[in-house]
Amino acid sequence: MNDLTKGKPLKLIFWFTIPLLIGNIFQQFYSLSDTLIVGQTLGVKALAAVGSTGSVQFLIIGFAQGLTAGLSILTAQYFGAKDYKGVRRSFAISIVVSLIVGIILTIISMIFVDHILVLMQTPSDIMADARTFLQIMLGGMLAPIAFNLLSNIIRALGDSRTPLWFLIVSSLINIGLELLFILGFHWGIAGAGWATILAQLIATLMCVVYIVAKVPILHIGRRHFKLVWSEVKAHLNVGLPMAFQMSIIAIGTIVLQAALNSLGTNSVAATTAAQKIDQVATQPLMSFGVTMATFAAQNFGAHKYERIIKGVKQTMWLSGSFSVAAGLIEIIWGKQLVGLFVGHQDMAVLNLSQTYFNVIGSTYILLSMLFIMRNTLQGLGRSAIPTLAGAAELFMRVFAALILVRFFAYPGACSSEPLAWLGSCAVLLPAYVKAVRELRLRARNEREHPEKVAPALENVVKE
């Protein structure tokens, strides 16, 4: 376990982020290998089928994953406050809530999968493959939900390295299973789906074995599942806004995906391939953001408010530098990177993907600021504002899908992401500035009146 409340903030943040970054990149191999293997072995139409389901997965599975990330925030705050009984209770609550939500989402999504694909205007030539892939991914969603919950809980205790090793192993297994199922068993696009679910299930089992063997602070028994409503409510107050935030963002992505589908298979294929590069390129930005959630949560629980402010400032500079470098790489070498997925002969797809990179890569600095501010606020237990920021992202994506796509076609669709980031930052920035003022006020009051210091976690519940 790693205590982020002691030592130089930037050094701790950097070394906590490195395993997280590597782990997130390997996690992208789940979808990246789907795209690479499917595109090269099954063709552009199969690639488009996988890509056309991404926003739906983001909506449904993303809701549960946002919930698990939110639940682990309180676990990190209890750990920072050295309340280890609270850590165990928090873990038990997180398991129960995640299981209930996962089962409900699985049942609902499997019932309405066909309706969703029709509403998204999925092209008829990829409808069958899209349905097959989506049914497998949604039917097995408990595997990624369980893995994300356990990974987030382990990271909440300051350990970002262990989940990395599990991701590496499971990612390699995923690639091997895809090749076996597609090329060996000839299962087609279904092979890609089953390989992903099985690999994530293996990662979940590795987390369970590790916790049982190495993390006694997370050893829970029947008594820990005797839940108290006030504690469950405190977790839901943080977890549900983060879950809805993910879903709100995903709704905008679905609307945009429907607009992309209307532009034809080439546009869907170009976006699918380009987004895989985009997802890898933005992992440093996302990883710094996730680190700040844990850093802020632990230090808030420990009443080290000024330390939070210092860590955020230093991380913004570091993450901003990565954002500029990533954007330049995409703009300069975008076509060559996309060619790895679709080959170098399909110039229509390659040209469209370069348009995507030109628009997206030049605005990564906005995304960098978004991740850090949003995750810091969540780490402080303030999930309402990030949810409003998600609503701003939704509005911007819908505007691009309904208006800009109509007038500017594919470039209009590409502009949806920068507009969404801008809208989110417009909401987050004032809230972050206000939070900094309140943290400084807390720090001053505790220095002047140490006898009146209240437990930080009680403040979280009230807020």
Side-chain angles (χ1 to χ4, degrees):
M1 303 301 103
N2 187 14
D3 189 347
L4 300 180
T5 65
K6 301 175 182 177
K8 295 181 179 180
L10 185 59
K11 181 179 179 180
L12 285 169
I13 289 168
F14 180 80
W15 289 112
F16 185 90
T17 301
I18 293 301
L20 189 62
L21 170 60
I22 298 173
N24 283 342
I25 290 175
F26 270 92
Q27 191 169 30
Q28 289 302 316
F29 283 177
Y30 287 131
S31 58
L32 191 62
S33 59
D34 286 340
T35 306
L36 183 61
I37 296 172
V38 169
Q40 292 289 354
T41 61
L42 301 178
V44 171
K45 287 185 178 180
L47 173 63
V50 172
S52 67
T53 67
S55 55
V56 179
Q57 294 180 59
F58 184 27
L59 170 64
I60 299 173
I61 300 177
F63 178 90
Q65 291 176 342
L67 177 69
T68 62
L71 295 172
S72 68
I73 292 295
L74 278 187
T75 308
Q77 291 181 348
Y78 281 121
F79 183 75
K82 305 296 187 293
D83 182 357
Y84 302 133
K85 291 183 180 179
V87 169
R88 293 187 179 95
R89 292 197 307 271
S90 178
F91 186 29
I93 291 171
S94 299
I95 291 173
V96 173
V97 173
S98 299
L99 181 61
I100 293 173
V101 170
I103 292 173
I104 293 173
L105 288 178
T106 299
I107 294 172
I108 293 175
S109 61
M110 293 301 288
I111 292 174
F112 294 103
V113 62
D114 285 335
H115 300 81
I116 294 172
L117 290 172
V118 171
L119 286 174
M120 291 180 61
Q121 304 179 53
T122 305
S124 59
D125 58 342
I126 63 174
M127 175 66 80
D129 280 346
R131 180 188 298 109
T132 298
F133 187 76
L134 190 58
Q135 285 176 333
I136 294 171
M137 297 302 295
L138 296 182
M141 75 168 72
L142 281 176
I145 290 173
F147 176 61
N148 276 274
L149 171 63
L150 297 179
S151 295
N152 285 325
I153 293 294
I154 292 171
R155 292 190 188 105
L157 306 185
D159 181 2
S160 62
R161 295 182 182 180
T162 301
L164 163 63
W165 296 111
F166 299 156
L167 278 169
I168 291 175
V169 173
S170 60
S171 296
L172 294 175
I173 291 173
N174 182 47
I175 294 172
L177 289 177
E178 282 201 0
L179 292 172
L180 175 64
F181 293 163
I182 294 176
L183 298 179
F185 295 169
H186 304 290
W187 287 0
I189 202 168
W194 283 116
T196 300
I197 294 299
L198 289 174
Q200 290 177 330
L201 180 60
I202 291 171
T204 300
L205 294 176
M206 287 190 289
C207 285
V208 172
V209 171
Y210 173 75
I211 289 173
V212 171
K214 299 291 186 180
V215 193
I217 194 176
L218 293 179
H219 289 182
I220 53 179
R222 184 177 299 177
R223 68 184 185 278
H224 297 105
F225 287 94
K226 295 179 180 179
L227 306 182
V228 178
W229 172 242
S230 61
E231 294 179 341
V232 175
K233 183 180 178 182
H235 283 74
L236 293 177
N237 285 342
V238 180
L240 284 179
M242 290 182 66
F244 285 118
Q245 170 201 317
M246 296 291 288
S247 292
I248 289 171
I249 295 172
I251 291 171
T253 305
I254 288 177
V255 174
L256 180 63
Q257 184 66 57
L260 276 171
N261 290 344
S262 69
L263 295 177
T265 301
N266 280 344
S267 294
V268 176
T271 304
T272 300
Q275 282 180 340
K276 301 307 177 184
I277 305 299
D278 172 57
Q279 288 167 3
V280 173
T282 57
Q283 286 310 304
L285 316 184
M286 183 183 299
S287 299
F288 279 122
V290 173
T291 296
M292 292 314 298
T294 302
F295 178 83
Q298 285 196 13
N299 282 279
F300 188 77
H303 295 252
K304 296 188 176 181
Y305 307 122
E306 292 182 337
R307 179 180 174 83
I308 297 172
I309 299 171
K310 181 178 180 181
V312 170
K313 285 183 178 180
Q314 294 175 336
T315 307
M316 276 192 172
W317 281 104
L318 189 57
S319 182
S321 301
F322 274 100
S323 71
V324 174
L328 288 175
I329 290 172
E330 286 189 350
I331 292 171
I332 296 173
W333 291 294
K335 284 186 179 180
Q336 290 86 337
L337 294 171
V338 170
L340 296 174
F341 298 97
V342 300
H344 297 278
Q345 306 303 317
D346 197 333
M347 293 306 299
V349 173
L350 293 177
N351 289 333
L352 287 171
S353 66
Q354 186 61 54
T355 299
Y356 180 94
F357 288 136
N358 291 342
V359 175
I360 298 295
S362 60
T363 54
Y364 275 156
I365 189 67
L366 290 173
L367 184 61
S368 172
M369 295 176 59
L370 186 160
F371 279 136
I372 292 176
M373 290 189 295
R374 184 171 69 192
N375 282 276
T376 299
L377 290 171
Q378 290 169 341
L380 297 175
R382 305 182 183 197
S383 299
I385 292 299
T387 303
L388 292 177
E393 290 190 46
L394 169 62
F395 175 81
M396 290 298 192
R397 285 195 176 93
V398 171
F399 171 75
L402 300 182
I403 305 298
L404 297 185
V405 170
R406 178 178 300 179
F407 289 99
F408 302 103
Y410 190 69
C414 295
S415 67
S416 67
E417 291 300 313
L419 286 175
W421 302 338
L422 181 62
S424 185
C425 286
V427 175
L428 291 171
L429 183 58
Y432 173 72
V433 172
K434 180 181 178 181
V436 168
R437 291 173 181 169
E438 293 179 1
L439 289 174
R440 285 177 174 151
L441 179 61
R442 284 175 180 266
R444 184 167 65 250
N445 287 340
E446 291 194 3
R447 283 196 304 269
E448 296 175 354
H449 307 285
E451 73 283 357
K452 296 182 180 181
V453 173
L457 296 182
E458 290 185 6
N459 294 328
V460 173
V461 176
K462 293 178 181 178
E463 290 173 353

